[in-house]
Amino acid sequence: MNKTKVSRKNSIGTNNPIWGGRFNNRPNSIMEEINSSIHFDWRLFREDIECSKAHAKMLAAVDIINDKDEKQILDGLDTILKEIEEGLFKFNPELEDIHMNVENRLTDLIGETAGKLHTARSRNDQVATDFKLWVRNAIDQSDQQLKELQSALIDRAEEHTNTILPGLTHMQNAQPITLGHHFLSYVEMFGRDRSRFVDARKRLNECPLGSAALAGTSFPINRQMTSSALGFDQPTRNSLDSVSDRDFALESLAAASLCSSHLSRLGEEIVLWSSSQFKFIRLSDSFSTGSSIMPQKRNPDAAELIRGKNGRISGSLFSLLTSMKGLSLAYSKDMQEDKEPVFNAFDTLSLCLRAATGMICDMTINVELMQKSAGTEYSTATELADWLVKNLDIPFRKAHELTGKIVKLSESKSLQLWELPLSELQRIEPKITKDAQKVLLPCSAVQSRNSFGGTSPDQVKIQINDARERFL
Ligand code: ARG
């Protein structure tokens, strides 16, 4: 919609055409500046028109307006939709917000009949409904984009069921794991994110339209009709709550914040893995940036930005939580502050999700280097301790201590665990046999971790099938 300009010219005369009756003078320009929201809430135009059309049809169905009025209103609204979509509509900040801009244009187009549209409704229930529709679409889009990211991760996991890399704790090599397993851990995280969005959507999906300003209306409206026309499950049950509720926005922002925190962890790992020290992956030219001074540089800016944009998304949640705190019922203009954080958060989340999917598909994986690194730092020591427990019936704590001594010995000889001669191992525990040496290889270590949800290639294959069934 960047073709659409918000004009600052006065085109509506001295008084506000919507409530001018009660006022003698125009608002001060500062008043106008603080009050106007059209520079951001124009983005609700589709929802606003959809909502008005449903309302007009309902008004006609219950004989509050006649069929001729209904047709004029619906045609006018369609014209406005087209004008906005084509960038021909002139948004006017003096008309404050999207609702009044649309209504004013409708008056230009069809005359006084336009005034009948606002029967039995208020901007309070109108904005709550428009905004719910917008957030619902944003949730659906996030769900779809998360699904695409999961699909990319599952495909890469399938390619790398047997690729071994170091699993880290405290950023130190801990135990070897498979890359498929690592990718699938993100699939789980994003699956939980999706379920949080789905859950928020369920609670959101009640229609506030018809609650009017706060107390309902004396007109014989049919709220069921507008609710189902707009794809809601049912009308909201309390008109006061309907116009003062922004839980749906907050819950969605909370889900978006957690999702973006997950994305920031993925971003961090991409930064780390593509670093000169790790070199586990390489991003192609399409997902790398150069430096203006150092010609050799390839920087993972998109991954860093995914990590950094978490601040903006979580910030949006805090911004709205703070605006809503302590508001008395029902509507207060503070609530106009709800839209920018939500727009900003969902625009950002969508970009991050698309960039993450792009990078996951794009990255080249350095299988050899990963594998080599997986065996370093005595990462299979737990294997040896487990072997002592299983084969020599040594209690785990004792086995832990003996293995610790063996690690110390390997370190003093600058050898990997599996390179230690049997005689050396037997210096620590005489009953150790050469079978123990076999379990010390990283590939045996991952094969053996075959418990449900574990890292073995066999488990990962099971997890891939399961993830496809659950998520795609
Ligand atoms: N632009 C307003 C908002 O976003 C619409 C509701 C105005 N209601 C009112 N009572 N002034 O919240």
Side-chain angles (χ1 to χ4, degrees):
M1 280 312 304
N2 39 13
K3 277 190 285 171
T4 308
K5 297 249 164 25
V6 175
S7 143
R8 291 223 156 252
K9 286 212 191 88
N10 177 359
S11 58
I12 55 164
T14 45
N15 277 353
N16 186 304
I18 310 284
W19 56 62
R22 201 228 178 284
F23 289 80
N24 295 325
N25 292 312
R26 292 178 42 77
N28 183 294
S29 63
I30 302 169
M31 177 61 211
E32 215 169 77
E33 197 178 329
I34 193 168
N35 204 32
S36 173
S37 54
I38 190 64
H39 57 287
F40 54 84
D41 69 16
W42 66 265
R43 290 183 62 172
L44 296 176
F45 74 90
R46 280 199 186 82
E47 292 78 8
D48 193 69
I49 289 172
E50 192 189 349
C51 178
S52 285
K53 285 175 74 175
H55 185 67
K57 286 180 197 167
M58 182 278 292
L59 290 178
V62 298
D63 290 331
I64 295 174
I65 61 172
N66 64 37
D67 293 351
K68 194 168 144 253
D69 294 341
E70 178 197 6
K71 175 145 181 21
Q72 269 191 300
I73 290 172
L74 294 180
D75 289 349
L77 289 169
D78 282 337
T79 306
I80 296 170
L81 180 63
K82 211 158 156 262
E83 286 176 351
I84 301 178
E85 281 176 338
E86 289 172 3
L88 304 171
F89 192 96
K90 250 186 156 189
F91 289 108
N92 185 344
E94 291 163 24
L95 292 167
E96 221 183 292
D97 57 23
I98 183 62
H99 324 293
M100 282 160 62
N101 270 269
V102 170
E103 188 177 325
N104 199 254
R105 179 69 185 136
L106 192 62
T107 310
D108 287 350
L109 290 172
I110 66 168
E112 279 215 320
T113 305
K116 298 188 177 181
L117 176 60
H118 213 54
T119 314
R121 79 171 184 192
S122 144
R123 275 188 300 158
N124 295 352
D125 58 336
Q126 195 180 352
V127 73
T129 312
D130 292 2
F131 197 32
K132 274 194 168 184
L133 291 175
W134 195 96
V135 172
R136 194 174 72 185
N137 285 335
I139 288 177
D140 291 346
Q141 178 183 287
S142 306
D143 184 65
Q144 181 56 34
Q145 290 175 339
L146 276 162
K147 186 174 167 180
E148 282 158 23
L149 176 54
Q150 285 180 307
S151 168
L153 285 160
I154 294 172
D155 287 349
R156 300 277 2 216
E158 192 163 44
E159 259 175 67
H160 291 282
T161 43
N162 286 299
T163 301
I164 299 174
L165 79 159
L168 312 182
T169 60
H170 313 273
M171 276 294 285
Q172 311 279 333
N173 277 17
Q175 291 175 343
I177 55 171
T178 51
L179 183 56
H181 194 224
H182 196 110
F183 281 140
L184 289 179
S185 68
Y186 282 102
V187 172
E188 292 300 318
M189 276 184 231
F190 295 130
R192 289 194 296 276
D193 290 330
R194 285 178 70 189
S195 78
R196 266 181 286 273
F197 278 126
V198 167
D199 204 39
R201 192 191 197 281
K202 270 187 221 142
R203 262 185 302 279
L204 167 152
N205 213 27
E206 293 185 347
C207 185
L209 194 61
S211 299
L214 74 165
T217 175
S218 58
F219 290 96
I221 57 171
N222 182 343
R223 290 194 58 205
Q224 199 65 55
M225 185 178 164
T226 38
S227 168
S228 48
L230 295 170
F232 288 103
D233 297 331
Q234 62 202 36
T236 50
R237 288 162 196 276
N238 180 304
S239 60
L240 205 58
D241 175 54
S242 305
V243 296
S244 66
D245 166 37
R246 291 295 179 274
D247 290 5
F248 61 94
L250 289 166
E251 276 195 70
S252 311
L253 284 176
S257 300
L258 192 43
C259 176
S260 120
S261 151
H262 293 152
L263 283 167
S264 78
R265 298 178 76 169
L266 178 61
E268 163 65 7
E269 295 208 314
I270 293 176
V271 171
L272 205 66
W273 286 1
S274 61
S275 69
S276 324
Q277 285 68 29
F278 271 75
K279 287 200 171 75
F280 280 5
I281 58 168
R282 183 180 165 93
L283 295 170
S284 79
D285 289 1
S286 8
F287 277 98
S288 302
T289 47
S291 152
S292 56
I293 176 169
M294 297 166 284
Q296 84 287 7
K297 288 300 293 284
R298 294 176 70 80
N299 296 328
D301 286 23
E304 291 168 39
L305 283 162
I306 287 178
R307 195 175 55 186
K309 281 181 190 292
N310 181 230
R312 183 193 286 252
I313 297 177
S314 312
S316 300
L317 170 62
F318 281 94
S319 155
L320 185 54
L321 275 174
T322 314
S323 294
M324 292 302 295
K325 179 191 170 291
L327 285 190
S328 70
L329 301 184
Y331 176 88
S332 296
K333 200 61 177 259
D334 313 44
M335 291 165 72
Q336 183 166 280
E337 288 295 304
D338 59 359
K339 289 164 210 69
E340 284 169 295
V342 169
F343 292 159
N344 193 342
F346 278 99
D347 289 347
T348 308
L349 185 68
S350 162
L351 184 56
C352 291
L353 286 169
R354 285 177 286 133
T357 307
M359 282 188 290
I360 291 296
C361 296
D362 176 82
M363 59 171 71
T364 313
I365 290 158
N366 192 337
V367 174
E368 273 103 78
L369 212 59
M370 277 190 177
Q371 176 127 359
K372 206 165 146 219
S373 169
T376 63
E377 303 299 324
Y378 318 103
S379 64
T380 52
T382 321
E383 255 46 53
L384 182 57
D386 288 352
W387 188 91
L388 295 172
V389 171
K390 286 185 217 157
N391 295 281
L392 306 182
D393 198 23
I394 297 176
F396 183 77
R397 275 287 151 250
K398 179 78 187 153
H400 186 284
E401 188 198 327
L402 291 173
T403 309
K405 287 185 179 156
I406 292 171
V407 168
K408 209 180 333 166
L409 188 64
S410 312
E411 202 171 23
S412 70
K413 296 188 172 300
S414 302
L415 291 175
Q416 300 295 345
L417 279 180
W418 63 86
E419 292 167 344
L420 262 192
L422 186 58
S423 53
E424 294 288 340
L425 292 172
Q426 286 171 340
R427 270 178 51 198
I428 310 280
E429 169 49 62
K431 286 194 249 128
I432 292 183
T433 66
K434 63 177 183 327
D435 282 352
Q437 285 173 305
K438 288 190 201 133
V439 303
L440 293 172
L441 289 168
C443 57
S444 330
V446 295
Q447 293 287 354
S448 74
R449 304 209 171 272
N450 207 22
S451 54
F452 179 78
T455 202
S456 75
D458 286 349
Q459 274 301 319
V460 170
K461 278 178 208 145
I462 294 171
Q463 289 164 30
I464 287 170
N465 289 337
D466 179 60
R468 285 213 166 103
E469 239 167 68
R470 283 189 296 148
F471 298 126
L472 304 184

